[in-house]
Amino acid sequence: MTTGTDGRVDGTGGRDEAPRAEQAPRVVGSLSPSRAGDFMTCPLLYRFRVIDKIPEKPSPAAVRGTLVHAVLERLFDRPAAERTAAAALELLGPQWERLLAAEPELATMFAEGEAGEAERDGWLEQARRMLERYFTMEDPRRLEPAERELFVETVLESGLKLRGFIDRVDVAPSGDVRIVDYKTGAAPRADFEARALFQMKFYALVLWRLHGRVPRLLQLMYLGNGEILRYEPDEADLRATERKVEALWQAIRRAMDTGEWRPRTSRLCDWCDHKVRCPQFGGTPPPLPELPVVPVASAAPDGAGAGGAGGGTGGEVPVVVVTADSDGPEYDDL
């Protein structure tokens, strides 16, 4: 597997040929695993993040996930023999300083004074334990990832653009592809595994559509408790995933057309920044912003979010632009 000048993977691996359209269809919308997950969790949460673009406070748990991801990515910059636990822990401080320099507001996650310093030290200690646990799960000295933090995107025949960042792509000598994702939470219960695997199947679908071959293995590494979830997808899995993301996009389009973004309560509401404006908790959402409107026939070929659900050829439609670097919070999922 190699990388082309546009940063995309260009190679082979996996199995099963996928059908390809000879000419790319006009883009009618854009969806990432995170934003798809937002809509499945709560349509109103999707609205607040994507339509209203309301800022959110940095979450210590999510920022710690980003920090641990950054350390593991940089670890593979070192020669294989130097990829040790001690080396990873040496990277932790500099990577935290790098994040702080890029986003000084992250310092506000902790209180001021000695209490805040103790809180920050405990937070960093949890990150250290996660990094140490990683080395009980695999030996990075025996790995040479083909890609790290790989941005991928493809356009389905319907015109829906799928995209996202893959933590790691491994390619075996046989050409088989493994997609790896690090999670800094604990492994989910068995009845929540399907939800956890959706993101990985999403990535597998994108790679399949890009290169015509199904990745051999999807691997979720839970650094919170040291468990690994592995799944071998097949063509039927990925076709089902494609139908699911298409249905999600149709539901999003209906919400955009009607202005009805229904809240869905769950245990996650306790950690939601938008609880204060949620009608389920006595809040009032802000007025919906007026979306830009463009003629369907002249929509930009790389525009995100243009087009109606039916992909018609006339009239005008509202456009939600979701660019690669404004696709919601940057912090890694737990």
Side-chain angles (χ1 to χ4, degrees):
M1 178 177 291
T2 60
T3 303
T5 56
D6 61 354
R8 299 180 185 175
V9 173
D10 180 19
T12 60
R15 58 191 186 278
D16 301 325
E17 293 298 322
R20 298 191 188 188
E22 292 183 0
Q23 185 174 0
R26 178 181 58 82
V27 173
V28 300
S30 174
L31 202 59
S32 70
S34 294
R35 299 294 73 81
D38 286 344
F39 191 83
M40 289 188 291
T41 298
C42 174
L44 187 58
L45 173 63
Y46 178 98
R47 182 205 138 168
F48 287 149
R49 285 181 167 172
V50 177
I51 308 297
D52 299 285
K53 300 186 184 298
I54 298 174
E56 298 178 1
K57 296 180 297 183
S59 157
V63 176
R64 184 171 52 233
T66 295
L67 175 60
V68 171
H69 277 71
V71 170
L72 292 177
E73 182 186 4
R74 299 296 184 275
L75 182 68
F76 284 99
D77 288 337
R78 300 196 172 195
E82 297 178 16
R83 298 172 196 160
T84 63
L89 295 180
E90 288 175 3
L91 290 168
L92 188 62
Q95 288 304 309
W96 171 230
E97 293 301 323
R98 182 185 64 82
L99 284 178
L100 272 180
E103 300 181 68
E105 64 272 17
L106 296 183
T108 63
M109 294 190 302
F110 311 111
E112 296 181 358
E114 293 184 2
E117 291 180 6
E119 186 180 0
R120 182 200 59 209
D121 290 346
W123 179 82
L124 285 170
E125 179 59 30
Q126 288 181 306
R128 291 188 188 95
R129 288 200 296 268
M130 290 175 185
L131 289 169
E132 291 171 341
R133 188 173 293 120
Y134 164 76
F135 286 86
T136 70
M137 302 167 72
E138 68 178 7
D139 186 350
R141 295 173 299 180
R142 302 176 62 183
L143 298 169
E144 288 299 338
E147 301 287 351
R148 288 169 282 149
E149 290 297 318
L150 175 67
F151 176 70
V152 292
E153 67 176 7
T154 192
V155 180
L156 303 179
E157 292 180 4
S158 66
L160 177 62
K161 179 187 288 186
L162 306 183
R163 61 175 172 209
F165 285 88
I166 302 176
D167 286 347
R168 200 178 87 206
V169 178
D170 299 333
V171 181
S174 64
D176 288 339
V177 171
R178 176 173 64 181
I179 300 175
V180 179
D181 193 74
Y182 309 117
K183 298 293 185 187
T184 47
R189 301 195 309 267
D191 51 338
F192 285 95
E193 284 185 0
R195 183 72 175 268
L197 281 171
F198 170 74
Q199 176 186 18
M200 303 298 280
K201 291 181 180 181
F202 188 108
Y203 293 143
L205 170 61
V206 174
L207 289 184
W208 179 43
R209 290 303 182 187
L210 281 173
H211 308 302
R213 300 175 73 90
V214 176
R216 176 68 64 179
L217 185 66
L218 311 179
Q219 179 169 300
L220 281 158
M221 304 185 69
Y222 289 93
L223 307 182
N225 61 357
E227 293 187 23
I228 298 177
L229 176 60
R230 296 185 176 95
Y231 184 83
E232 294 186 12
D234 57 24
E235 183 177 325
D237 280 325
L238 302 191
R239 289 191 183 279
T241 300
E242 184 169 340
R243 290 192 297 270
K244 182 170 184 174
V245 296
E246 293 279 17
L248 279 170
W249 179 249
Q250 294 298 326
I252 291 169
R253 286 299 319 178
R254 284 194 296 272
M256 290 173 60
D257 293 339
T258 62
E260 294 183 8
W261 300 91
R262 298 180 180 179
R264 182 179 297 132
T265 57
S266 71
R267 292 171 57 190
L268 297 176
C269 295
D270 292 338
W271 294 277
C272 182
D273 272 8
H274 307 287
K275 191 173 181 179
V276 66
R277 58 185 64 89
C278 177
Q280 293 295 102
F281 298 94
T284 302
L288 274 166
E290 185 174 342
L291 299 176
V293 176
V294 298
V296 172
S298 62
D302 60 347
T313 58
E316 295 182 335
V317 294
V319 177
V320 178
V321 178
V322 185
T323 61
D325 54 357
S326 67
D327 200 17
E330 296 179 359
Y331 310 115
D332 286 290
D333 295 334
L334 300 182

